[in-house]
Amino acid sequence: KNLNTRRLSDPGPNSPARVPDMSDPFVQILHDEGLYKKLVLCMALQRQPKENNKDSTEAPPRVIGEGFYWKDYPPCEQILYESMGHYYELSTQQRQSKQQQAFNNNLVKHVRDTAQKHGFEFAECFTDKKLRDRIRCFFKTHLQNAKKRLTTMQKHSNSLEQKVALRALIQKAKSMNFPNGTFSTNSDSIAESSTVRACAFTSSNSAQGGTEDRKRRRSSFA
């Protein structure tokens, strides 16, 4: 048997590398770190309908206590949405830095002042640290849920319907105005997130990808 023979479909040892199809939206976010981050943030900023069994005309408690919902206090919630891009950047690029600490402290003060301006105040149990934790929880929940939804889409990257949906999201993300520097990159973040996105992308084309596609990057939030 001639050991040099092979199926015509098999790439030869000197075959050129396959050129990525950049018209495929899933390939685009796999190779473009800035676009991937824009997309995650865009999806995180999509507001969910308010779910509340209370009469919509009922005013929320003046004292913001344990178990409150940010949606019940729109002015404070709006500040968090407006600050999410900056928070995302600091969490991925300058985690536990002085800049992030200053941002967190200023945001806590801004939220307190805004609540007071609109006739509300946080209960005494909300120390700066506790309020900072609630703010961080808000960001973390929205960003992680966005990444989960995007990863689910990536698992079905061969679906025409999912490609159409992703193209629409990419177009929306590109049209949004974000703070300058929100999508800067460094080699570490590119290597890490590219590995994660590649894992999710290839899982849709592999029958044995069930375990690997769950090993996604754990977001860093300080």
Side-chain angles (χ1 to χ4, degrees):
K1 183 178 180 179
N2 187 350
L3 297 179
N4 292 325
T5 62
R6 66 176 187 275
R7 292 179 301 171
L8 293 177
S9 60
D10 291 341
N14 298 321
S15 300
R18 181 178 297 178
V19 178
D21 180 10
M22 296 307 294
S23 66
D24 187 326
F26 289 99
V27 176
Q28 291 177 27
I29 64 174
L30 184 66
H31 290 82
D32 190 334
E33 167 72 2
L35 178 59
Y36 174 81
K37 291 175 69 177
K38 267 190 177 184
L39 190 58
V40 168
L41 185 54
C42 175
M43 295 174 72
L45 290 171
Q46 291 180 337
R47 305 199 185 200
Q48 302 301 316
K50 186 174 182 179
E51 296 180 1
N52 197 331
N53 294 326
K54 296 180 181 180
D55 185 347
S56 59
T57 62
E58 182 180 345
R62 188 186 69 81
V63 177
I64 306 175
E66 294 275 6
F68 77 92
Y69 294 99
W70 288 106
K71 289 183 179 181
D72 290 336
Y73 302 91
C76 295
E77 183 188 45
Q78 180 63 29
I79 291 173
L80 300 188
Y81 274 114
E82 292 174 354
S83 304
M84 192 179 298
H86 195 179
Y87 181 88
Y88 186 23
E89 174 67 7
L90 289 171
S91 297
T92 56
Q93 301 295 330
Q94 301 183 57
R95 183 169 177 259
Q96 296 181 344
S97 65
K98 291 183 178 179
Q99 290 86 343
Q100 187 185 39
Q101 183 179 8
F103 169 82
N104 291 339
N105 291 338
N106 290 335
L107 189 55
V108 167
K109 184 179 185 304
H110 192 16
V111 170
R112 284 192 186 279
D113 292 344
T114 300
Q116 186 176 14
K117 178 180 178 181
H118 288 82
F120 303 107
E121 64 176 337
F122 286 91
E124 292 183 2
C125 64
F126 278 105
T127 60
D128 285 351
K129 180 181 182 303
K130 188 169 184 176
L131 183 54
R132 187 164 55 246
D133 288 343
R134 280 299 304 267
I135 292 173
R136 182 169 61 242
C137 182
F138 175 91
F139 290 136
K140 185 175 180 179
T141 297
H142 281 68
L143 291 167
Q144 287 189 342
N145 285 345
K147 290 180 181 181
K148 288 178 182 178
R149 295 198 303 273
L150 183 53
T151 298
T152 298
M153 295 180 71
Q154 288 177 295
K155 291 178 182 178
H156 302 87
S157 59
N158 289 327
S159 166
L160 180 60
E161 181 180 357
Q162 292 297 325
K163 288 184 179 182
V164 171
L166 184 57
R167 284 193 180 97
L169 286 170
I170 289 176
Q171 190 65 30
K172 182 178 180 180
K174 288 181 175 180
S175 68
M176 297 179 69
N177 294 321
F178 297 107
N180 291 332
T182 300
F183 304 104
S184 61
T185 59
N186 59 39
S187 57
D188 291 338
S189 66
I190 291 176
E192 181 182 10
S193 59
S194 294
T195 300
V196 175
R197 287 179 278 127
C199 179
F201 179 75
T202 56
S203 67
S204 64
N205 300 305
S206 173
Q208 299 178 349
T211 300
E212 290 299 318
D213 62 21
R214 291 181 178 83
K215 296 180 180 179
R216 304 192 318 272
R217 173 182 56 187
R218 180 182 178 183
S219 299
S220 299
F221 296 93

